[in-house]
């Protein structure tokens, strides 16, 4: 259905918002050159997790998150294990860690937030190697 997007140039956030308004969970990943490589959609179902639209963080070395919409969460990648675990200690925050053998390759931090498009957009624009304080500053901008 949406496979025609693959290989096309990335559009702006508003375009994706309108296109995917009927989906609860969507992620669009593109190359550094701005070409759409992956589109993942998921409707919340009791048997499936809405975070299935998130890809393995190691792929973010080659891909960029162009659009991310999660119904009940804000999510962002983190490549420092210590920072990821520190953030996951906060109330209503959690993390998904990815390893190859015993080596941490990256992860996703998620926190509860219903329909938080602006906050999501800001979080994915923060560098995945940014400090915990930068992440918390975005969160505090919406929750204080």
């Amino acid at each position: 259905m949406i496979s025609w997007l693959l290989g096309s140039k990335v559009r702006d956030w508003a375009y994706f918002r309108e296109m995917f308004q009927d989906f609860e969970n969507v992620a669009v990943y593109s190359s550094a050159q701005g070409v759409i490589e992956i589109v993942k959609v998921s409707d919340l179902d009791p048997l499936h997790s809405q975070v299935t639209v998130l890809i393995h963080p190691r792929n973010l070395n080659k891909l960029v998150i162009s659009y991310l919409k999660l119904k009940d969460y804000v999510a962002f990648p983190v490549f420092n294990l210590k920072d990821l675990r520190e953030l996951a200690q906060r109330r209503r925050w959690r993390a998904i860690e990815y390893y190859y053998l015993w080596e941490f390759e990256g992860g996703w931090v998620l926190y509860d937030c219903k329909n938080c498009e602006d906050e999501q957009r800001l979080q994915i624009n923060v560098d995945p190697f940014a400090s915990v304080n930068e992440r918390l500053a975005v969160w505090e901008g919406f929750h204080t």
Side-chain angles (χ1 to χ4, degrees):
M1 174 181 120
I2 54 176
S3 60
W4 62 270
L5 276 173
L6 299 178
S8 64
K9 286 286 191 183
V10 171
R11 303 282 186 100
D12 66 5
W13 190 276
Y15 176 83
F16 290 127
R17 179 190 324 114
E18 184 176 329
M19 174 178 281
F20 295 116
Q21 66 185 340
D22 294 333
F23 293 95
E24 293 181 343
N25 309 292
V26 180
V28 176
Y29 302 93
S30 61
S31 68
Q33 294 77 31
V35 176
I36 297 173
E37 299 285 336
I38 299 172
V39 177
K40 296 185 83 170
V41 296
S42 170
D43 285 325
L44 185 59
D45 183 286
L47 299 175
H48 301 327
S49 171
Q50 60 183 291
V51 297
T52 58
V53 300
L54 303 177
I55 62 173
H56 193 298
R58 94 171 139 237
N59 295 318
L60 296 176
N61 293 330
K62 300 175 202 137
L63 298 174
V64 175
I65 307 164
S66 297
Y67 181 75
L68 182 57
K69 172 185 172 184
L70 297 174
K71 180 183 173 205
D72 295 325
Y73 302 107
V74 167
F76 52 88
V78 175
F79 289 99
N80 180 305
L81 181 58
K82 180 181 172 280
D83 290 350
L84 180 134
R85 289 191 174 163
E86 181 178 336
L87 290 166
Q89 295 298 315
R90 299 180 59 81
R91 186 169 183 249
R92 295 189 177 140
W93 290 51
R94 61 201 49 78
I96 305 168
E97 298 177 9
Y98 291 85
Y99 293 84
Y100 178 72
L101 300 175
W102 295 101
E103 185 176 337
F104 176 72
E105 291 192 318
W108 289 90
V109 172
L110 299 92
Y111 56 84
D112 295 350
C113 195
K114 293 190 183 288
N115 302 314
C116 297
E117 179 182 2
D118 292 334
E119 190 170 348
Q120 176 64 76
R121 193 172 179 183
L122 285 174
Q123 286 288 15
I124 65 170
N125 286 327
V126 174
D127 185 325
F129 295 96
S131 73
V132 168
N133 291 336
E134 289 179 65
R135 295 296 184 181
L136 293 176
V138 171
W139 182 84
E140 289 169 355
F142 290 89
H143 299 276
T144 55

